[in-house]
Each structure stands twice: as structure tokens, then as C-alpha cells.
Amino acid sequence: MRYSDLFTKTIKEIPADEAARNAQLLIQAGFIHKEMAGVYSYLPLGKKVLDNISQIVREEMNAIGGVEIELSILQNKDIWEKTDRWDDEKVDNWFKTKLKSGTELGISLTNEEQLANALRAFVSSYKDLPVYIYQIQKKFRNELRAKSGLMRGREFLMKDLYSFSRNQQEHDEFYEKAIEAYMKIYKRLGISGATYRTYASGGIFSKYSDEFQTLSEVGEDTIYIDEAQRIAINKEVFNDEVLGELGLSESELVEKKAVEVGNIFSLGTKYADALDVFYTDEKGNRKSIIMGSYGFGISRMMGLLAEHFADDKGLIWPEEVSPFEVYLALLERDKKTAGKAEELYHKLQEKGVAVLFDDRDVRAGEKFADADLIGLPFRVVVSEKSLKAGGVEFKKRTSKETEILTPDELVKRLTSS
RNA sequence: CGGGGUGUGGCGCAGUUGGCUAGCGCGCGCGCUUUGGGAGCGCGAGGUCGGAGGUUCAAGUCCUCUCACCCCGACCA
């Protein structure tokens, strides 16, 4: 893509109404636009990042048998009343609206009820199970106080998977597979070293739920880490009894701030029972379906990555997430240099390298500053100077060193590994 | 929801105890010069001061109400 086709602009000054580093950087670099508190629009670069994170999550969910769907956002009140999760006294962060007729509707904040209910149309036998269904979709939560940029919004992108199993063992096996899949995702995102499987409150369904917490100063959660075992425990369930059960010793634990980047729950049969979702087993018996839910905040992850991988010059995207792989900067716009840059731009695209081609008529310093701020993994400069030196200048975002490569060497470098 | 803070061109800000046609920087447009780390000079466009009401000869400056945004706390199934 050509920089001149992005309609966004980077800005020099830090937005005054954002204190969160992730929002400051993403706004400065033109990835997002703030609409109101806790509500952001995603601009071309930001949209690509969301898509890239989504794709990683999608691949790992598919790998464990997930099937992608897209549920409606408008919610039928009747279904939620069956599980007693409609009343504002019970669930206080609903957004609700009304039909012209006066009928109340909910705006999706999670989807257990809806999907369990829909399942009645398709699942009735043990032969139909298990199923693992997920979607990547906006969620809306009427938070009393939005904060920390993308970390806690009122509208956010989330992957939510729901598992429907025939018995506890089948559920437990999938649950463990889901944990492994989550770990793979964090690895691909480049944050596995800072991310811990964390025991947290399981709510009313099971003793614990599993959270995935990434260490960060902006985190809202406090966790206690056992570094040797690579597990952690959320402060909300921290007590001697729990420590004993998990085989953790208080002396080994270190207190840290962290961001919840995933949370998976065993839900038992509550939803299925309340909504009358059963299956018939091999012997003709009516059985309850066991559910689990597996959340992953895509937009929150974008905020976390922005915060986690950044320096004083700007963002530093992990390769799999970066909106483009290469920032190609043309310095002088004379015919010869521009021609070489155009040639390289097309060549890289042919080879499948995602390039952001800065063809604007601005000074070198501005291009370098933008390249750093936007934070693509690699920067390539085509200039009189580089051509004289025998090619193009190549630099990693994380390195100070540059090297001169021929166009062929560059292509090779970017297409290997 | 409790406490604290802030709303002035697209962005960041300044506007003394109310007083003349509301300023500055960035950005934007034009011209000349410049050209490898967000250039320099000149000219120019752009705001009615979050909104409503009030006090006053006079309100961006004072009062009342209201909306929005940020931070801390509470909340987060």
C-alpha cells in the first residue's frame, strides 16, 4: 500500500485526553480514532493489526476443532431471562434498546444463552456432539468507567468460543486443549514469556477459571507468580487453602500487575439446563450438555502489544501482527531514484511481502520519524545515497545498524525464514 | 456511582483583579530557499471560547444548571 493512500496522518503531539500509553501511541501513529470514552474506530493500519491478531486466534481455534460463525448482536430478552441474566440487578453492564413496538432488546455482551438456545435446532443426539463454536465479533459492555485506552472499552473486539460436550471427561480434555491453543497464540504474538496461566475465580460453575495474564504496569489485575512452574494465581482467590490445593508455596510467589488477555470457564450444565438443551445418548437417555466458554480480547490485545512493544520513538510490532512487514521509504523523488523504488515496491509485492510504500513528498526526517512511530519490523530506504552504495538500505526497527543490500538480496532476506 | 481535574481553530496550549477587532506553536494552502532524523523565511485560510440560562454598560474570564473527556476509587457475571 502507498502511504499516500492512507487517509490517516501521524501527529507529533500526544493527545491530551489519553493518559494510557497504548492509546497515545496508537492515536499518534494513526491506527485508531477516538469516538468517545471507551469507544474507538480502527483506521487502515489499526484494522490490519486487528485482522492479523484475529487470524492467529482463528488458526489456533480451527486447529482444535473450532468452527467459526457469526451470531447476531441484537439479543432476545426472553432467552436471557431463562438464565436470570437479563435483569440489571443481576448483570449491570448491559446495553439495552427497544423496538418501535416497545419490545426490549439487548446488545450482545457475551453469547452463552444465545448460542445454547440456537443449538436446540441442530443438536439432539450424542452423534451431534461435541461441537466447538466460535466467533470474532464486537462486544458491548456498559462499563461504569472506561479506561486505559483499548484495555477497557465499552465496545471491543473479542473471540468467544463455546464448547458443548457430552460428559465431563470430554469437556475436560477439550478444556486442556484450549489452554494449549491459547499458549500457542501468546507465543505467536511474542508475549509468551510475560504471559501466565492464572488461577482465578470460577464463578458459580467451577472452583477455578483459567485466566491468561500478561505482565504489564497498566494491568488492572494483581497476580502472584510461581516462576518455576510458570503459573500464577489471581489475588481475588489468593488464600492459604487455595495455595495448598494448587501446591504453591507463598514464599515462591512474586506479586505482579497484569492484564487479563484470555479467560476460559467451565460452565457445567447450567445454561443447557436452563434453556432446555439436551441430547439423547446411546442408550436413549436424555442428558445435559456440558458447556465451556473461552474468551480472548482481540482489541485489548492490540492495546497490550502497543504498550508492551514500544520505545520512545514509537510502536514496535511483532512480525505476525504488524500491519505491513516493510516500510519502504523513497527519499529523493527524482526520476531515477523514484523509478528504482517503484520497481522494488512492485517486486516485493509480487513476492508476497506486505509493503507500506512511503512515496510522499516529504523530507527524509519525517519519513524516518514516521517509520519509527508506526513500528513496522523493517525499514528499507531507497535514495541517491543508497543507490550509490550499491542498493537499498535495510534496517530493523529494533536495531540501530543499517546495511546496504541489493534488491535481490533484500527480497531473499524478506522471504526466507 | 463517590472524589479530583479539564473543556478556547484539525492537534497541543496561553489568555492577569471581567475591558478594545481572542493570541501562540504544530498542522494546512501559496511562494522562495532548503533536502538523510519531524527545515527556514514570507504571505494566507481557519475559532465566538463544550452547551443553556443568568449577572453586568461590558463575559473566554463571574454565577447557576447541564454535557463531555481524563485520573483515583468502587464495579467488572
Side-chain angles (χ1 to χ4, degrees):
Chain A
M1 187 173 198
R2 288 170 190 275
Y3 196 120
S4 53
D5 290 337
L6 289 174
F7 72 92
T8 59
K9 283 199 178 78
T10 57
I11 50 176
K12 284 191 213 174
E13 277 149 323
I14 295 171
D17 65 347
E18 293 286 1
R21 187 74 182 128
N22 68 86
Q24 289 179 345
L25 282 166
L26 290 167
I27 289 171
Q28 266 193 283
F31 283 61
I32 60 175
H33 183 252
K34 183 178 204 155
E35 301 295 345
M36 52 188 129
V39 180
Y40 297 87
S41 292
Y42 294 84
L43 306 173
L45 295 171
K47 168 69 174 152
K48 280 182 180 290
V49 172
L50 278 188
D51 286 348
N52 291 343
I53 297 171
S54 297
Q55 186 55 26
I56 291 173
V57 173
R58 180 177 286 122
E59 286 168 13
E60 297 304 334
M61 292 301 103
N62 290 346
I64 57 171
V67 180
E68 186 169 8
I69 61 166
E70 183 165 324
L71 294 163
S72 74
I73 287 169
L74 297 179
Q75 300 291 311
N76 182 341
K77 168 186 172 184
D78 293 348
I79 296 172
W80 293 83
E81 281 183 328
K82 287 184 182 163
T83 55
D84 200 21
R85 292 214 293 175
W86 176 260
D87 197 322
D88 288 340
E89 297 290 311
K90 296 285 165 50
V91 176
D92 68 359
N93 55 5
W94 269 112
F95 279 107
K96 293 177 179 171
T97 186
K98 282 185 180 147
L99 295 179
K100 297 282 187 197
S101 66
T103 301
E104 280 190 291
L105 299 179
I107 295 173
S108 165
L109 39 55
T110 183
N111 301 74
E112 285 85 1
E113 279 80 346
Q114 178 186 16
L115 186 58
N117 183 255
L119 216 68
R120 296 196 306 163
F122 310 109
V123 170
S124 45
S125 159
Y126 70 94
K127 295 173 193 165
D128 300 325
L129 293 170
V131 286
Y132 310 115
I133 304 170
Y134 74 96
Q135 63 171 346
I136 295 171
Q137 192 187 49
K138 285 278 177 75
K139 294 282 178 286
F140 301 86
R141 295 188 187 178
N142 203 341
E143 298 284 354
L144 236 37
R145 181 185 161 208
K147 56 185 279 197
S148 307
L150 295 188
M151 303 304 212
R152 177 182 285 280
R154 298 203 166 93
E155 173 181 331
F156 55 94
L157 189 62
M158 180 169 164
K159 184 279 301 179
D160 45 327
L161 183 144
Y162 304 92
S163 67
F164 299 88
S165 304
R166 287 173 287 201
N167 53 57
Q168 193 60 44
Q169 191 194 339
E170 192 169 82
H171 169 79
D172 292 344
E173 282 169 15
F174 181 78
Y175 192 90
E176 287 304 317
K177 271 164 79 177
I179 288 172
E180 284 171 32
Y182 269 61
M183 287 311 199
K184 280 185 195 161
I185 293 169
Y186 300 122
K187 185 157 195 189
R188 290 177 67 178
L189 292 170
I191 55 168
S192 57
T195 304
Y196 295 81
R197 176 178 177 177
T198 303
Y199 290 92
S201 165
I204 48 181
F205 312 111
S206 61
K207 179 132 195 181
Y208 303 113
S209 70
D210 281 279
E211 288 178 344
F212 297 88
Q213 295 274 1
T214 303
L215 303 186
S216 171
E217 275 311 301
V218 293
E220 293 183 39
D221 287 291
T222 301
I223 63 171
Y224 297 91
I225 300 170
D226 184 315
E227 188 55 51
Q229 299 190 58
R230 297 264 340 143
I231 59 174
I233 174 168
N234 195 306
K235 190 174 187 174
E236 65 188 19
V237 296
F238 183 83
N239 62 48
D240 290 343
E241 189 197 331
V242 171
L243 286 178
E245 254 177 61
L246 299 175
L248 295 169
S249 155
E250 188 162 357
S251 61
E252 301 292 314
L253 299 177
V254 184
E255 181 179 312
K256 294 277 187 184
K257 287 226 177 238
V259 173
E260 183 191 319
V261 291
N263 193 349
I264 70 182
F265 289 91
S266 289
L267 301 176
T269 61
K270 169 180 161 145
Y271 292 102
D273 288 349
L275 291 157
D276 227 13
V277 192
F278 295 95
Y279 74 95
T280 307
D281 73 8
E282 300 90 321
K283 292 170 186 149
N285 297 318
R286 197 169 133 93
K287 288 277 188 66
S288 292
I289 294 179
I290 296 180
M291 273 182 76
S293 71
Y294 311 76
F296 184 106
I298 306 276
S299 50
R300 174 182 282 183
M301 179 55 70
M302 176 170 165
L304 177 82
L305 294 175
E307 193 109 19
H308 191 84
F309 296 108
D311 60 17
D312 58 345
K313 290 191 154 82
L315 298 157
I316 304 173
W317 294 106
E319 278 190 51
E320 270 206 83
V321 172
S322 184
F324 295 93
E325 195 173 346
V326 182
Y327 193 100
L328 175 63
L330 162 65
L331 295 199
E332 295 89 8
R333 287 159 58 90
D334 63 89
K335 212 167 176 184
K336 185 179 170 214
T337 315
K340 291 283 184 195
E342 288 282 346
E343 207 175 290
L344 183 58
Y345 173 53
H346 291 295
K347 186 166 188 172
L348 287 169
Q349 286 193 310
E350 273 166 33
K351 298 287 180 184
V353 178
V355 188
L356 180 61
F357 180 26
D358 190 349
D359 55 347
R360 295 173 302 165
D361 185 15
V362 301
R363 297 161 64 88
E366 197 167 334
K367 294 194 177 189
F368 294 147
D370 276 348
D372 288 338
L373 181 57
I374 290 170
L376 308 184
F378 305 109
R379 187 187 81 191
V380 172
V381 174
V382 180
S383 66
E384 274 174 25
K385 191 171 139 186
S386 78
L387 292 176
K388 202 169 287 177
V392 300
E393 182 187 287
F394 177 81
K395 177 185 167 302
K396 286 186 178 167
R397 172 64 176 82
T398 51
S399 164
K400 276 195 150 60
E401 267 95 78
T402 63
E403 54 184 312
I404 296 291
L405 302 175
T406 67
D408 286 340
E409 287 168 339
L410 176 73
V411 169
K412 205 171 159 193
R413 184 79 65 97
L414 293 173
T415 51
S416 63
S417 84

